[in-house]
Amino acid sequence: MVDTNITIMEDFILLGFSDFPNSQGFLFVVFLIIYVSILLGNGLIIIVTNVELALQTPMYYFLGNFSFVEICYTSVTLPRMLVNLWSQKRNISLLSCAVQLCFFLILASIESFLLAVMAYDRYVAICRPLYYPIIMNHKMCMKMVVGSWVSGIPVMIMQTYQVFSVPFCGSNKLNHIFCDMPPLIKLACGDISGDEFFLFVDCFLFGLIPFLMILTSYIRILNTILKLSSTTGRSKAFSTCSSHLIVVCLFYGSGLIAYLQSNFSYSGKTEKIFSVFYTIVTPMINPMIYSLRNKDFIAAMKRLFSKCVKN
């Protein structure tokens, strides 16, 4: 046996946007504004959908839960990123990295399933409107939300354990903006075939399958919309569904490309660009798409604001 000098990692250095040393202050301001807008926008959706009786429907029930997940999902990565940009101290311990990865994976799986649930809700509402109150009753909606929350937890905890059960050696520089699976696997020592296999399985179970379910729902929705005789009804249905599809394409598209391409070749810059889309851009545009383009939501928000002013 040949002895080799291996330095076991105690912490990582998140390189983040260190490629732009002169833009750290600018990036801090930009991401701070984005984070505040995510908190305020999604928080507003949660408040309005819970307070306004007119919005006590399955669609807005799912939307409120989705907005809450978006806040949690973003809070796992963005605050740490802001601290790194402000202090220029990029160290993160193995334990903190493992916790961040675990919560990120869990919340990402919840968001993935909720998007599929929201697509199914729109499919039933548009394609089977007469059965909508029966199928999407309150009990069924709760089951679907609870299922979305708990289904990915054991798998993602096991996945995090699998990633950190392999020792890390060599460079401790993590070329990413947060602790994510692809860059961590690249720093692992020994046999990483198990990690790469689980990475592929995760993409399939929590990315590709929900994405295909959403596509199936929208293909059927499109067929139904094209059969509508009313131009107004067709336009309203297209508007509602296109909003959902924008979020879906950004989230799944950037996430699947980033994770699947890492199985073949890894590029830190490419990974960071895609990660910005599925961790920051999607939660930022969610309130704009679901509130500013939704007449019912705007009307409910105006009523709520009027009540607050009168009181």
Side-chain angles (χ1 to χ4, degrees), residues 25-39 78-79 81-82 85-86:
F26 172 75
L27 290 173
F28 174 82
V29 173
V30 170
F31 286 122
L32 179 62
I33 293 172
I34 290 174
Y35 185 50
V36 172
S37 67
I38 289 171
L39 295 180
L78 254 179
M81 193 189 309
L82 290 171
L85 287 169
W86 178 260

Side-chain angles (χ1 to χ4, degrees), residues 214-273:
I214 293 171
L215 283 182
T216 302
S217 297
Y218 277 100
I219 289 172
R220 294 182 178 181
I221 288 172
L222 182 61
N223 289 332
T224 302
I225 291 175
L226 293 175
K227 295 176 184 178
L228 293 177
S229 57
S230 171
T231 306
T232 305
R234 191 183 306 166
S235 175
K236 184 177 180 181
F238 266 121
S239 177
T240 302
C241 296
S242 63
S243 300
H244 190 190
L245 275 176
I246 291 172
V247 178
V248 166
C249 291
L250 277 174
F251 180 72
Y252 287 102
S254 58
L256 285 172
I257 291 173
Y259 270 62
L260 290 176
Q261 66 94 28
S262 67
N263 285 321
F264 304 99
S265 61
Y266 178 75
S267 171
K269 290 184 179 180
T270 304
E271 174 71 17
K272 281 188 278 190
I273 291 172

Side-chain angles (χ1 to χ4, degrees), residues 72-74 76-77 97-111 156 160 176 178-182 251 255 259 271 275 278-280:
C72 298
Y73 175 71
T74 311
V76 171
T77 57
C97 190
V99 171
Q100 185 183 60
L101 175 65
C102 186
F103 277 100
F104 171 76
L105 292 177
I106 289 172
L107 290 165
S109 68
I110 294 171
E111 181 168 346
M156 293 313 179
T160 304
H176 205 52
F178 63 96
C179 289
D180 205 359
M181 281 179 60
F251 180 72
Y259 270 62
E271 174 71 17
S275 68
Y278 63 77
T279 60
I280 298 173

Side-chain angles (χ1 to χ4, degrees), residues 48-102:
V48 175
T49 53
N50 279 279
V51 171
E52 280 295 313
L53 294 177
L55 301 184
Q56 302 299 307
T57 63
M59 174 182 171
Y60 292 105
Y61 174 69
F62 294 136
L63 179 57
N65 278 273
F66 183 68
S67 294
F68 177 72
V69 173
E70 291 278 52
I71 291 175
C72 298
Y73 175 71
T74 311
S75 298
V76 171
T77 57
L78 254 179
R80 181 87 195 197
M81 193 189 309
L82 290 171
V83 171
N84 291 346
L85 287 169
W86 178 260
S87 65
Q88 299 299 306
K89 294 179 181 179
R90 307 179 187 277
N91 294 63
I92 182 171
S93 67
L94 255 68
L95 178 60
S96 298
C97 190
V99 171
Q100 185 183 60
L101 175 65
C102 186

Side-chain angles (χ1 to χ4, degrees), residues 4 7 20-21 34 49 121 133 146 155 162 165 189 193 213 219 234 255:
T4 56
T7 303
F20 308 98
I34 290 174
T49 53
D121 172 71
V146 172
V155 177
Q162 175 70 24
S165 63
C189 297
S193 57
M213 291 172 61
I219 289 172
R234 191 183 306 166

